[in-house]
């Protein structure tokens, strides 16, 4: 097997909770990400789904070292980057970029589109002389479906979808091999979502980018991903190629997640059997013993309360962390 | 890679399609908006401009020299010849007030500018770097602010001697350290924006982020801080002059006019105290009203509330 672009191994990101104004002391730890492992090949898209607070954004941020992991290993292009400091990361930032959820907050309102897109080039000393830079900006704008003569406008003159395209152009400027997309379309109207999703798909085919695509909209994730990882409370509970996971979800949480997506046909919708789960996601400060999902799982049995199920391979690239599917 | 669309029902679009930018232009001319939305603030701004103008062109505008003594015209009440009257030496008070405006304008503008720069530097570094740096830096500011301002001023001026440059230096330091709070809180809120995170993720350095991303977005509080500081400096300078610690005579200053002939001959010639006192009050009030109006205009959160 060829070397993956990104390999994350047993990643843990814990946040200490402090109390006290003058004499601060640690009172608890939020285990936002607690033992996540996955790989991402060049040109591949891994969808990362799960409900709010399950640690998917934290995983994405740690993968490009915008956060320092508590423990675990992150290998990017074969190099362990989990302990590099800011200066050591600097040259690698070229190869990994990020697209943000909020198209309004992620662009500096006081900068022209031209300056927003060329900033990564300037930071890495690749701006070149003025004509070459202008041409590069025009190419990038065209690549994401913006007209190059809009370069002298300010972000507030654009719609949400257009702003997201500007954010994508900025991420593309350095020709990265990995882009972490943190819910890049969830803030957009549904019709605009499809457009922006297609920008991502199109760019991947042309430039061979790899995406770590974080989302909670299963339809969007299904469209863009090759493989999908489902996260619950800081862990990956199931990871599988896209079609497999939608056809036969193994983990009860995945089943519930897919069942929650309504079917457009009312006949089918009425007839289908639904697996529902109740209750709230438990606190990441104090996760349940054994399987983290056992408090809400419809199939939980005695062993689930005591043993933490590991993520076990099921063949054909699938893996699930559930005692129901573990070897008997 | 998938090539099918998620939602066949969604509008068929190509990557090249572009929607026209929605027009969301608001009137960007601050002066026009000031006149329309804040007429009182505009008037105050006019007073402020007039004040600076008087200070700049005092020697052209003043009908008499500030030290031109005319013994036969002692203690004259205001008249067409002497708009604000004359003092105990027969000097024209109107001319002296105009020259006083010059001193106030020079000290007010330069000390306020310096103070604002000091505030920006302290506020940006403590606010952006945060953590322990912020904690220690701001405790220093706390300690500094717990001294009464006037006591620091008197102590330092009596140590270094009175004079314009000493006053500018010490006032800008005192007000600059205090004002760093306002800049810091603005920086802390701007720092949390995703575009700052985005700049960090492309590898931009601290200097670049402060200069390109933070500073342009904290301009409204900076402008407001500056205008209100002008009033505070003028007031503090007059206080020092009143106590005899300001710009030494014979240079006329408003505070000096109040404490000199103004106080001594208050009953023989009340205009001697009224004229510089009113100048001071009107100018300081105008800078404060103007600063408030600018804040309301430039701070989007205040928009709509009057």
């Amino acid at each position: 097997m060829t070397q993956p672009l990104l390999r994350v191994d047993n990643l843990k990101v814990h946040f200490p909770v402090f109390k006290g104004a003058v004499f601060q002391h640690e009172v608890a730890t939020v285990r936002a990400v607690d033992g996540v492992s996955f790989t991402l090949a060049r040109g591949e898209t891994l969808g990362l789904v799960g409900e709010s607070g399950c640690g998917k954004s934290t995983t994405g941020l740690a993968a490009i070292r915008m956060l320092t992991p508590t423990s675990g290993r992150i290998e990017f292009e074969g190099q362990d980057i989990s302990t590099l400091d800011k200066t050591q990361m600097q040259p690698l930032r070229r190869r990994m970029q990020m697209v943000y959820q909020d198209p309004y907050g992620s662009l500096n309102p006081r900068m022209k589109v031209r300056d927003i897109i060329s900033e990564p080039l300037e930071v890495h000393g690749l701006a070149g002389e003025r004509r070459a830079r202008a041409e590069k900006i025009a190419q990038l704008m065209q690549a994401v479906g913006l007209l190059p003569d809009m370069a002298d406008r300010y972000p507030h003159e654009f719609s949400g979808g257009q702003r997201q395209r500007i954010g994508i152009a900025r991420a593309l400027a350095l020709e990265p091999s990995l882009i972490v997309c943190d819910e890049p379309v969830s803030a957009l109207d549904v019709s605009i979502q499809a457009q922006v999703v297609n920008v991502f798909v199109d760019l991947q085919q042309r430039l061979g980018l790899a995406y770590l695509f974080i989302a909670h909209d299963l339809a969007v994730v299904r469209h863009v991903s090759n493989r999908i990882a489902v996260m619950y409370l800081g862990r990956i509970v199931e990871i599988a190629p896209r079609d497999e996971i939608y056809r036969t979800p193994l983990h009860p949480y995945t089943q519930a997640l897919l069942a929650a997506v309504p079917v457009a046909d009312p006949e089918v919708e009425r007839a289908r059997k639904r697996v529902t789960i109740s209750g709230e996601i438990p606190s990441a400060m104090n996760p349940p013993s054994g399987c983290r999902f056992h408090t809400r799982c419809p199939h939980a049995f005695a062993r689930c309360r005591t043993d933490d199920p590991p993520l076990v391979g099921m063949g054909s690239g699938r893996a699930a962390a559930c005692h129901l599917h573990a070897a008997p | 890679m998938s090539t099918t669309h998620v939602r066949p029902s969604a509008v068929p679009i190509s990557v090249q399609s572009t929607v026209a930018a929605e027009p969301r232009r608001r009137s960007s001319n601050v002066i026009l908006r000031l006149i329309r939305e804040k007429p009182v603030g505009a008037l105050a701004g006019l007073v402020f401009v007039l004040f600076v103008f008087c200070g700049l062109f005092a020697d052209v505008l003043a009908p008499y020299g500030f030290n031109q003594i005319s013994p036969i015209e002692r203690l004259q009440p205001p008249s067409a010849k002497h708009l604000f009257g004359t003092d105990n030496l027969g000097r024209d008070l109107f001319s002296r007030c105009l020259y006083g405006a010059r001193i106030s304008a020079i000290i007010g503008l330069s000390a306020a500018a310096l103070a604002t720069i000091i505030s920006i530097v302290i506020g940006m570094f403590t606010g952006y770097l945060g953590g322990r740096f912020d904690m220690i830096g701001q405790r220093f500011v706390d300690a500094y602010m717990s001294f009464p301002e006037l006591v620091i001023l008197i102590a330092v001026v009596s140590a270094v001697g009175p004079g314009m440059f000493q006053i500018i230096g010490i006032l800008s330091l005192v007000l600059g350290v205090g004002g760093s709070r306002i800049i810091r809180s603005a920086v802390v809120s701007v720092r949390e924006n995703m575009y700052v995170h985005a700049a960090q993720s492309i590898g931009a350095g601290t200097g670049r982020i402060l200069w390109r991303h933070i500073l342009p977005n904290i301009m409204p509080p900076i402008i407001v801080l500056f205008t209100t500081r002008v009033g505070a400096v003028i007031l503090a300078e007059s206080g020092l002059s009143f106590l005899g610690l300001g710009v030494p005579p014979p240079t006329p200053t408003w505070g000096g006019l109040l404490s000199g002939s103004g106080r001594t001959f208050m009953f023989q010639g009340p205009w001697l105290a009224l004229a510089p006192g009113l100048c001071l009050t009107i100018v300081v009030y105008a800078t404060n009203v103007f600063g408030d109006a600018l804040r309301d205009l430039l701070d989007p959160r205040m928009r709509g509330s009057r």
Side-chain angles (χ1 to χ4, degrees):
Chain A
M1 193 183 152
T2 52
Q3 185 191 52
L5 175 70
L6 178 73
R7 179 200 297 277
V8 172
D9 193 24
N10 200 20
L11 175 74
K12 293 185 181 181
V13 185
H14 295 176
F15 297 108
V17 180
F18 290 107
K19 229 176 186 169
V22 183
F23 300 102
Q24 293 202 327
H25 52 287
E26 203 178 314
V27 289
T29 308
V30 176
R31 297 159 186 272
V33 177
D34 206 22
V36 161
S37 308
F38 62 88
T39 58
L40 180 63
R42 282 178 192 278
E44 189 196 22
T45 302
L46 176 66
L48 205 53
V49 295
E51 62 198 287
S52 308
C54 69
K56 44 190 201 303
S57 292
T58 310
T59 305
L61 288 172
I64 58 166
R65 280 303 314 281
M66 289 304 290
L67 282 174
T68 304
T70 310
S71 70
R73 195 177 159 85
I74 303 161
E75 259 177 53
F76 179 76
E77 295 179 337
Q79 183 186 0
D80 181 8
I81 61 166
S82 54
T83 53
L84 297 186
D85 65 24
K86 209 178 154 189
T87 338
Q88 291 167 314
M89 275 308 294
Q90 173 75 13
L92 289 165
R93 295 252 168 256
R94 271 186 71 178
R95 319 283 307 133
M96 47 178 89
Q97 292 289 309
M98 185 151 179
V99 173
Y100 295 85
Q101 172 173 14
D102 176 12
Y104 291 88
S106 58
L107 306 176
N108 186 340
R110 306 267 170 165
M111 276 167 87
K112 286 177 181 171
V113 172
R114 171 190 310 287
D115 300 320
I116 291 173
I117 298 176
S118 71
E119 183 164 40
L121 299 169
E122 288 169 35
V123 165
H124 289 272
L126 304 167
E129 47 108 23
R130 193 192 282 189
R131 286 250 312 267
R133 178 173 12 173
E135 202 162 299
K136 174 95 185 167
I137 293 165
Q139 277 172 7
L140 286 164
M141 290 183 76
Q142 259 164 349
V144 296
L146 290 170
L147 298 174
D149 46 339
M150 292 173 165
D152 283 315
R153 296 195 195 170
Y154 285 93
H156 71 89
E157 298 174 65
F158 291 88
S159 67
Q162 287 176 315
R163 284 163 153 257
Q164 203 58 307
R165 290 169 193 255
I166 298 169
I168 298 169
R170 169 175 63 191
L172 286 178
L174 293 168
E175 296 163 21
S177 49
L178 167 68
I179 296 183
V180 172
C181 312
D182 190 1
E183 309 231 10
V185 295
S186 18
L188 305 174
D189 290 345
V190 172
S191 61
I192 308 294
Q193 279 188 3
Q195 295 180 16
V196 174
V197 161
N198 287 328
V199 172
F200 279 110
V201 172
D202 174 77
L203 289 171
Q204 181 167 51
Q205 284 164 349
R206 281 196 279 160
L207 306 170
L209 301 163
Y211 295 131
L212 184 59
F213 200 96
I214 300 163
H216 57 246
D217 184 333
L218 293 161
V220 170
V221 169
R222 181 176 200 170
H223 184 55
V224 298
S225 304
N226 304 102
R227 288 186 303 139
I228 290 168
V230 180
M231 281 188 75
Y232 183 78
L233 210 57
R235 292 274 177 85
I236 290 179
V237 293
E238 181 165 5
I239 184 165
R242 175 192 55 182
D243 292 335
E244 260 94 299
I245 209 164
Y246 280 91
R247 200 179 308 127
T248 51
L250 294 179
H251 197 283
Y253 181 62
T254 316
Q255 291 166 2
L257 217 53
L258 290 175
V261 179
V263 178
D265 186 340
E267 301 283 317
V268 181
E269 175 69 28
R270 225 171 286 133
R272 78 195 176 112
K273 199 172 116 249
R274 295 230 274 187
V275 189
T276 52
I277 54 170
S278 55
E280 294 283 315
I281 188 164
S283 163
M285 274 194 246
N286 188 17
S289 64
C291 173
R292 288 164 181 240
F293 188 57
H294 85 253
T295 53
R296 298 167 78 190
C297 181
H299 310 294
F301 53 100
R303 196 179 162 200
C304 301
R305 281 179 268 278
T306 50
D307 291 4
D308 194 3
L311 193 63
V312 207
M314 302 281 165
S316 66
R318 313 194 56 164
C322 181
H323 291 309
L324 291 171
H325 302 285
Chain B
M1 191 66 241
S2 157
T3 47
T4 52
H5 283 259
V6 199
R7 296 182 187 82
S9 59
V11 199
I13 24 76
S14 80
V15 167
Q16 300 299 328
S17 80
T18 311
V19 196
E22 57 185 65
R24 203 188 294 161
R25 308 202 61 181
R26 59 181 174 82
S27 172
S28 54
N29 192 327
V30 178
I31 297 174
L32 276 180
R33 282 182 56 214
L34 185 69
I35 293 168
R36 201 169 51 234
E37 292 174 33
K38 302 269 168 194
V40 181
L43 194 69
L46 191 69
V47 171
F48 180 67
V49 171
L50 200 68
F51 155 69
V52 176
F53 179 80
C54 287
L56 279 179
F57 298 104
D59 37 8
V60 182
L61 295 170
Y64 304 93
F66 64 83
N67 235 356
Q68 196 179 324
I69 296 166
S70 170
I72 48 160
E73 287 182 306
R74 290 169 59 222
L75 287 173
Q76 295 288 307
S79 63
K81 196 174 172 205
H82 299 287
L83 279 178
F84 291 177
T86 61
D87 69 0
N88 55 318
L89 297 174
R91 294 177 294 194
D92 179 50
L93 199 59
F94 180 62
S95 305
R96 286 175 70 73
C97 280
L98 282 177
Y99 279 99
R102 163 175 287 183
I103 296 294
S104 291
I106 292 172
I107 295 182
L109 293 178
S110 55
L114 264 176
T116 309
I117 290 169
I118 293 171
S119 298
I120 292 170
V121 171
I122 301 177
M124 287 227 294
F125 279 98
T126 56
Y128 180 69
L129 296 176
R132 194 153 294 170
F133 190 79
D134 184 34
M135 167 83 183
I136 294 168
Q138 287 302 316
R139 291 300 79 75
F140 268 109
V141 174
D142 278 338
Y144 200 88
M145 284 170 73
S146 62
F147 285 123
E149 247 168 48
L150 199 61
V151 174
I152 305 180
L153 288 176
I154 292 171
V156 175
V157 173
S158 39
V160 298
M164 196 154 78
F165 292 105
Q166 289 90 314
I167 289 177
I168 291 173
I170 186 64
L171 280 179
S172 55
L173 203 62
V174 168
L175 293 172
V177 172
S180 70
R181 273 297 160 75
I182 292 160
I183 303 296
R184 176 186 165 271
S185 62
V187 171
V188 167
S189 75
V190 168
R191 181 184 70 178
E192 298 306 318
N193 278 308
M194 286 321 276
Y195 56 79
V196 176
H197 192 277
Q200 290 164 342
S201 80
I202 59 173
T206 304
R208 184 186 187 87
I209 289 173
L210 287 177
W211 185 253
R212 300 281 311 260
H213 296 279
I214 307 266
L215 189 61
N217 286 293
I218 57 167
M219 276 328 271
I222 288 176
I223 290 167
V224 174
L225 185 66
F226 173 74
T227 47
T228 50
R229 278 316 185 224
V230 172
V233 169
I234 292 172
L235 215 52
E237 181 271 327
S238 311
L240 283 175
S241 293
F242 186 83
L243 296 172
L245 295 167
V247 181
T251 317
T253 64
W254 290 346
L257 290 177
L258 274 175
S259 75
S261 52
R263 199 158 47 109
T264 324
F265 297 95
M266 198 192 287
F267 297 105
Q268 292 91 325
W271 56 89
L272 286 173
L274 278 176
L278 281 176
C279 286
L280 202 54
T281 311
I282 290 168
V283 167
V284 173
Y285 188 70
T287 57
N288 286 337
V289 171
F290 184 48
D292 277 354
L294 277 185
R295 186 199 58 210
D296 293 357
L297 277 190
L298 297 174
D299 188 345
R301 280 166 303 182
M302 301 289 289
R303 204 161 287 162
S305 62
R306 303 250 155 128

